[in-house]
Amino acid sequence: MSTRRGKTVETSGRRFKTAIYEQFARVSKALASPHRIELVELLAQGPRTVDALARLTDMSLANTSQHLQVLRAAGLVEATKEGLFVTCRVSDPTVPALLLALRGVAEARLAEVERIRREFLAERDQLEALDEEALRRRVRAGEVTLLDVRPPEEFESGHIAGAVSVPLPDLAKRLSELPRDKEVVAYCRGPYCVLAVEAVTLLRRKGLKAVRLSDGVLDWAARGRRVERSGRS
Amino acid sequence: MSTRRGKTVETSGRRFKTAIYEQFARVSKALASPHRIELVELLAQGPRTVDALARLTDMSLANTSQHLQVLRAAGLVEATKEGLFVTCRVSDPTVPALLLALRGVAEARLAEVERIRREFLAERDQLEALDEEALRRRVRAGEVTLLDVRPPEEFESGHIAGAVSVPLPDLAKRLSELPRDKEVVAYCRGPYCVLAVEAVTLLRRKGLKAVRLSDGVLDWAARGRRVERSGRS
DNA sequence: CTCGTGCTCAAGCGAGATGTTGACTATGTG
DNA sequence: CACATAGTCAACATCTCGCTTGAGCACGAG
């Protein structure tokens, strides 16, 4: 079995390798576009219809549809047609894990990531050095309001245990629901989502004590913490 | 801050998102080629010179060099010039982790991967259902010879604790070194590397009891098991 | 049946990726 | 010094991507 070593001879071992590496590349090719990463990252928060994704990502419908087909062909995304709508979802728990690994490398190796983050999230407190254990205890003891500011459908399909859902657009009208004597900890999709940043800015302007939790549900779950669901599906 | 929602307006939030997703995509683009995945997978086993990589992957030197530059630009690989040689290495422990995540998705979602594996590794026992704990105990008790059949430089830069190095090409001549009364467990770079398969085939033909451990060093380490190094660098 | 909505398909163009070839640089050897 | 080796660079043909546009299809409402 593949004992010859000549350069011209395509040994069976080489054919095997090229065959699997091609398969692995199918997956990474699927994520080799900013738009598709954004789509998958959104889908990792919960199922969405094609045109909801198009609106959230500011892409044309046709373009969104095509990108989703690439993702489906690579097995990262599944779609089901329900009446007039096609609902897409991430196909496997390994997919969010891959996203986290990707982010991990980018953070560790690309100085640009940190630079961009600073540029946009500048000055505002990040609560990066948050003690997870302490937060959990304080949430449970009711000393802190844990606020999920993502759209309600994402909250339903999975949120940090103990969190309260107040989507960012509703926050201004629903300020009265928040106990003014408690500190608010707001989170959204993850460290690179701006929702919680804006929420914290708003809350502080209104005189509340608010900080941002940079974790999203995925990060939280990846740390082995508890996650709840409240919707169907 | 990004309150307008019109499609034509590039809000600051959108610019931020496109900026980071572009960075994430830099990383996945770097892995969006079978050849580059193969290169990184080899480098994950230990440092290599450019032309060693070219020979191992059956690529032209120029092509290899160019792919490596893509990997360097994406921050996945680092290179240092030592005399006449340029030695490349994986830049960060997050990189092998990304490889594992990639493989995880491919295995979970692409039926082709399993099909290709079957086609090439057919029939031969895989020892997939190996009890890790039991293996560790048996290795430590000396009941089993754990054989690393990769090239020596890879063994030196990291191997499973307790393993013995016998590179595949030397195996036939060095059979006498292996105690004939003990079972041999052979491993190589991982589940899709053919070295251990060939080693097991050879050993059985010679009358030894041999099985393959499908894990490579990376998988082993990812499970939290002990890994040893013996070289410099 | 007709119409609007959600989505897909096909064609096409510009931009970018791949791999080869041959020239070029840098380092070390006799 | 000439010469070999390891690696990079530049130029090129080829191919694949990404996105737009406009047509087409499936489903549901009136």
Side-chain angles (χ1 to χ4, degrees):
Chain A
M1 183 118 305
S2 100
T3 38
R4 285 176 297 175
R5 317 232 142 214
K7 270 189 184 172
T8 50
V9 183
E10 262 254 317
T11 67
S12 94
R14 170 109 315 268
R15 255 183 285 121
F16 172 58
K17 282 180 204 165
T18 22
I20 358 165
Y21 287 127
E22 245 159 44
Q23 298 305 314
F24 292 176
R26 277 178 65 191
V27 175
S28 36
K29 272 188 189 134
L31 291 181
S33 140
H35 280 156
R36 285 197 294 268
I37 296 182
E38 188 174 1
L39 288 171
V40 177
E41 206 129 80
L42 278 170
L43 289 172
Q45 305 287 328
R48 289 281 189 181
T49 65
V50 177
D51 81 356
L53 290 168
R55 263 178 286 108
L56 286 167
T57 58
D58 293 315
M59 290 200 278
S60 79
L61 187 63
N63 197 13
T64 308
S65 171
Q66 279 167 179
H67 277 302
L68 287 167
Q69 281 172 58
V70 174
L71 290 169
R72 276 196 263 172
L76 305 192
V77 163
E78 279 173 345
T80 52
K81 184 151 191 176
E82 290 155 16
L84 203 47
F85 294 83
V86 173
T87 304
C88 297
R89 48 180 58 72
V90 143
S91 64
D92 196 278
T94 56
V95 175
L98 177 55
L99 279 184
L100 290 181
L102 193 61
R103 202 169 76 195
V105 175
E107 283 171 352
R109 299 299 312 165
L110 298 178
E112 275 88 342
V113 172
E114 180 55 16
R115 216 209 60 229
I116 295 167
R117 203 187 57 71
R118 267 182 211 289
E119 196 173 306
F120 282 83
L121 308 185
E123 302 134 28
R124 327 185 190 184
D125 292 355
Q126 294 296 317
L127 186 55
E128 300 285 9
L130 173 87
D131 181 339
E132 309 282 340
E133 193 51 49
L135 173 64
R136 224 185 42 167
R137 249 183 295 114
R138 293 183 66 196
V139 170
R140 192 141 39 159
E143 295 169 30
V144 165
T145 311
L146 184 57
L147 207 63
D148 186 320
V149 296
R150 297 174 301 159
E153 54 279 39
E154 296 181 19
F155 178 85
E156 278 170 22
S157 85
H159 55 265
I160 296 181
V164 175
S165 172
V166 180
L168 182 60
D170 306 355
L171 186 54
K173 311 165 213 154
R174 293 176 57 185
L175 274 179
S176 56
E177 296 176 26
L178 301 174
R180 291 194 65 87
D181 53 327
K182 286 187 200 167
E183 186 177 1
V184 176
V185 174
Y187 76 91
C188 49
R189 292 172 184 136
Y192 301 101
C193 176
V194 292
L195 296 177
V197 177
E198 298 189 12
V200 167
T201 316
L202 174 62
L203 290 170
R204 287 188 184 162
R205 214 166 41 224
K206 297 293 183 180
L208 283 105
K209 205 177 162 197
V211 286
R212 180 173 98 103
L213 171 63
S214 67
D215 279 2
V217 181
L218 297 180
D219 311 79
W220 197 254
R223 291 185 209 275
R225 302 269 177 228
R226 224 155 63 74
V227 165
E228 292 170 342
R229 346 177 91 248
S230 60
R232 61 276 98 108
S233 145
Chain B
M1 184 119 303
S2 104
T3 39
R4 285 176 297 176
R5 318 231 143 217
K7 270 187 184 174
T8 49
V9 183
E10 263 250 318
T11 67
S12 95
R14 171 109 315 270
R15 255 183 285 122
F16 173 58
K17 282 182 203 164
T18 21
I20 357 167
Y21 286 128
E22 245 160 44
Q23 297 304 314
F24 292 176
R26 277 178 65 187
V27 175
S28 38
K29 269 186 191 140
L31 291 181
S33 141
H35 279 157
R36 285 197 294 267
I37 296 181
E38 189 174 2
L39 288 171
V40 178
E41 206 129 79
L42 279 170
L43 289 173
Q45 305 287 327
R48 289 281 191 181
T49 65
V50 177
D51 84 355
L53 289 167
R55 264 179 283 107
L56 286 167
T57 57
D58 292 316
M59 289 200 277
S60 78
L61 186 63
N63 198 201
T64 307
S65 171
Q66 280 165 177
H67 277 303
L68 286 168
Q69 282 172 56
V70 174
L71 291 170
R72 275 197 264 171
L76 304 191
V77 164
E78 278 172 347
T80 53
K81 186 152 190 177
E82 290 156 16
L84 202 49
F85 295 83
V86 173
T87 304
C88 298
R89 50 181 55 73
V90 144
S91 63
D92 195 279
T94 56
V95 174
L98 176 55
L99 278 184
L100 290 180
L102 193 61
R103 201 169 78 195
V105 175
E107 283 171 350
R109 299 299 312 164
L110 299 177
E112 274 89 341
V113 172
E114 180 55 17
R115 217 210 58 231
I116 295 168
R117 204 187 57 74
R118 269 182 211 288
E119 197 172 305
F120 282 82
L121 308 184
E123 302 134 30
R124 327 184 192 183
D125 292 356
Q126 294 295 317
L127 185 55
E128 300 285 11
L130 173 86
D131 180 338
E132 309 282 339
E133 194 49 49
L135 172 64
R136 225 185 40 164
R137 250 184 293 113
R138 293 182 66 197
V139 170
R140 192 137 43 157
E143 295 169 32
V144 164
T145 311
L146 184 56
L147 207 63
D148 187 318
V149 297
R150 297 174 302 158
E153 53 280 37
E154 296 181 18
F155 178 85
E156 276 169 24
S157 85
H159 55 264
I160 296 181
V164 174
S165 173
V166 180
L168 182 59
D170 305 355
L171 187 54
K173 313 162 211 156
R174 295 176 57 184
L175 274 178
S176 55
E177 297 176 24
L178 301 173
R180 292 194 64 87
D181 53 328
K182 286 187 200 167
E183 186 176 1
V184 175
V185 175
Y187 76 92
C188 49
R189 291 174 186 137
Y192 301 101
C193 175
V194 292
L195 296 177
V197 176
E198 296 186 13
V200 167
T201 316
L202 173 63
L203 290 169
R204 287 189 185 162
R205 215 166 42 223
K206 298 294 184 178
L208 282 105
K209 204 176 166 198
V211 286
R212 179 172 99 103
L213 170 63
S214 67
D215 279 1
V217 181
L218 296 180
D219 311 80
W220 197 255
R223 291 184 208 278
R225 301 269 178 231
R226 225 155 64 74
V227 164
E228 290 170 344
R229 347 178 89 249
S230 60
R232 63 278 92 114
S233 137

